[in-house]
Amino acid sequence: MGVKEVDVHMTVGNGATSYANNSAHQKIGISKAKYVLDESLKEMFADDGFPDCFKMVDLGCSSGPNTLSVVAQIIGTILRVRRLNNVDELPEMEVFLNDLEGNDFNNLFKLLPSFYKKLKEATGNEAIRCFVSGLPGSFYGRLFPSKTLNFVYSSFSLQWLSKIPEGLEDNKENIHMAMASPPGIFEAYATQYRRDFTTFLTSRGQEMVRGGRMVLTFVGRSVEDPSTRDDCAHFTLLASSLIEMVNEGLVKESDLHSFNMPIYTPSKQEVEGVIHNEGSFNLEKFEPFLVPWDAHVKHEDHTRGRISQLGAEGSVPDHIRGKLVSDFIRAYTEPVLASHFGSSIIDNLYGRYAKKLAEYLAREQPSFFNIIICLSKK
Ligand code: SAH
């Protein structure tokens, strides 16, 4: 795959493999980040009061139940702040749902009537005037006029780079910045990350009003030196499924050698460094948190019958955990893999992957290392 911009949209529609049906894992991360979101909004309103029209955007909103639940949560916080401070007026709200052009906006828009209905039922006389629109385009660039945004939210999107870094030719059988990657690979990825995150901050810095807040949750790295620990072992297992298929003649070796995920998981020091050097924002909060790979398994209420095969103590058998972890990783990796390797290998690949995940989960208790930050516009 070349270094062109990649369309990393999630699996569209409402089918069994869609993001809409496989985003329960991210939902757990979003709820862990809830208190940072609440606190940041409260601080912003305490400092500056309500604007007449509160303009916000969810960057990389995707298409599914998580998208509008965050907007509902923000409305809940506004109502609580209003009651606590005995404020008469409610702001109007303009909400932009942003994602890449390939995102399933149609599916998202179909959720809007029931969202508006529930909002009205829940808030009654206090119903807030909320205007939701879709905004296709990359967040690595300008999306809004200058000084118009009060609040920016994004969850689990910023680990996606704008493109595959240059200089990954030696990464051969690795598909990400793996522990086993040759040294030059780390720098190639890190350079692309610094460039992208700087562009992101500069764009938002121009679009946001002074004092506006930005709450960002993304997957990070727990160690400064990526060769000392593989926080993305799930990609190492996906690579080993591809290697198996190369050995069986099902995937071309050259296709594997030229494939790399456009994903970067930064360390605390890197995040702080870019924010400091770019200069438009103060870093108000930095909170790391762990979410086990299979955290969504117990929470899944749409496991399509698979949990009915519970083990002795009500535990979920490894092969089901493997399949459910594979499903959620498939929902966000399938479009990128299918566009490189072709869609004919996909079912076979994720079938193998589910088995490898099951074996891994039987002996390890892996977690994703996530980071939530709150920034205020200088
Ligand atoms: N926020 C949702 C979805 C996360 S999935 C949740 O927490 O569940 C990540 C989303 O980021 C995908 O929908 C992907 O298309 C989007 N994305 C990745 N790079 C992007 C970019 N440069 N600009 C806009 N959206 C992007």
Side-chain angles (χ1 to χ4, degrees):
M1 195 183 265
V3 291
K4 62 184 183 337
E5 295 253 334
V6 282
D7 184 356
V8 298
H9 70 269
M10 308 294 94
T11 302
V12 301
N14 273 313
T17 60
S18 66
Y19 186 78
N21 269 325
N22 290 284
S23 48
H25 188 94
Q26 285 85 345
K27 188 171 181 185
I28 293 165
I30 291 169
S31 61
K32 287 218 176 199
K34 185 177 184 305
Y35 82 102
V36 176
L37 179 59
D38 276 358
E39 270 182 29
S40 307
L41 286 166
K42 281 183 197 150
E43 280 164 21
M44 179 172 74
F45 294 133
D47 290 350
D48 298 327
F50 286 142
D52 292 338
C53 180
F54 176 72
K55 288 186 197 246
M56 65 156 283
V57 62
D58 181 349
L59 296 171
C61 63
S62 196
S63 174
N66 294 348
T67 309
L68 291 164
S69 72
V70 171
V71 179
Q73 187 189 323
I74 291 171
I75 292 175
T77 307
I78 291 179
L79 294 178
R80 275 197 301 282
V81 170
R82 180 204 187 207
R83 262 177 245 129
L84 276 174
N85 299 311
N86 290 320
V87 180
D88 285 337
E89 295 303 311
L90 265 178
E92 291 189 329
M93 265 182 93
E94 191 166 20
V95 178
F96 294 92
L97 302 178
N98 158 260
D99 209 291
L100 293 168
E101 293 81 357
N103 184 52
D104 197 347
F105 282 103
N106 283 338
N107 187 44
L108 192 51
F109 292 157
K110 286 185 198 131
L111 302 173
L112 280 176
S114 81
F115 167 76
Y116 285 130
K117 189 162 169 264
K118 276 195 211 135
L119 190 63
K120 211 163 173 199
E121 282 164 8
T123 54
N125 291 337
E126 289 191 306
I128 194 164
R129 275 177 177 279
C130 176
F131 305 91
V132 181
S133 5
L135 177 59
S138 172
F139 49 57
Y140 293 123
R142 286 288 297 271
L143 292 166
F144 292 93
S146 302
K147 299 191 176 90
T148 50
L149 278 178
N150 303 96
F151 188 70
V152 171
Y153 173 87
S154 178
S155 57
F156 298 108
S157 308
L158 265 171
Q159 66 275 6
W160 289 99
L161 297 168
S162 68
K163 62 180 190 177
I164 297 156
E166 285 168 51
L168 299 182
E169 292 74 19
D170 294 340
N171 210 24
K172 306 283 185 204
E173 294 192 335
N174 305 298
I175 61 167
H176 73 298
M177 190 178 68
M179 255 177 99
S181 293
I185 304 303
F186 300 138
E187 196 40 44
Y189 264 106
T191 302
Q192 186 61 45
Y193 170 74
R194 285 194 291 268
R195 207 174 283 153
D196 280 344
F197 193 39
T198 302
T199 307
F200 176 89
L201 293 175
T202 303
S203 306
R204 302 298 83 76
Q206 290 162 348
E207 294 164 350
M208 291 181 71
V209 300
R210 209 161 157 246
R213 298 292 201 279
M214 182 143 76
V215 173
L216 311 172
T217 307
F218 46 90
V219 189
R221 192 168 83 239
S222 63
V223 288
E224 169 109 71
D225 179 353
S227 68
T228 57
R229 186 186 155 85
D230 191 359
D231 277 326
C232 290
H234 56 297
F235 287 148
T236 308
L237 293 173
L238 190 55
S240 72
S241 309
L242 284 162
I243 292 169
E244 216 174 74
M245 291 178 81
V246 169
N247 293 340
E248 291 174 31
L250 300 170
V251 166
K252 278 202 266 168
E253 189 177 55
S254 57
D255 280 353
L256 173 59
H257 287 184
S258 58
F259 178 75
N260 289 289
M261 296 291 294
I263 283 188
Y264 188 77
T265 50
S267 68
K268 180 172 198 264
Q269 293 79 355
E270 283 175 298
V271 174
E272 288 173 344
V274 177
I275 294 168
H276 178 79
N277 291 339
E278 195 282 328
S280 304
F281 292 90
N282 291 314
L283 178 58
E284 304 284 347
K285 290 186 181 66
F286 183 104
E287 312 256 350
F289 64 95
L290 294 172
V291 179
W293 286 8
D294 60 348
H296 58 300
V297 171
K298 290 183 217 77
H299 295 252
E300 286 252 348
D301 53 8
H302 54 85
T303 48
R304 300 172 287 280
R306 280 172 297 197
I307 292 255
S308 60
Q309 309 162 38
L310 288 181
E313 297 92 37
S315 61
V316 182
D318 294 332
H319 72 280
I320 296 178
R321 290 198 295 146
K323 171 76 174 111
L324 290 173
V325 174
S326 167
D327 282 354
F328 113 75
I329 295 176
R330 175 174 179 167
Y332 73 86
T333 51
E334 176 177 345
V336 187
L337 282 149
S339 83
H340 185 83
F341 294 99
S343 41
S344 60
I345 69 150
I346 290 297
D347 284 339
N348 189 336
L349 172 66
Y350 287 98
R352 290 164 193 261
Y353 187 44
K355 287 196 190 111
K356 287 191 190 294
L357 285 165
E359 284 160 21
Y360 194 78
L361 288 162
R363 52 174 208 274
E364 306 279 341
Q365 294 183 319
S367 290
F368 293 107
F369 181 83
N370 298 317
I371 294 174
I372 173 162
I373 57 175
C374 171
L375 305 170
S376 65
K377 169 74 177 67
K378 286 185 187 166

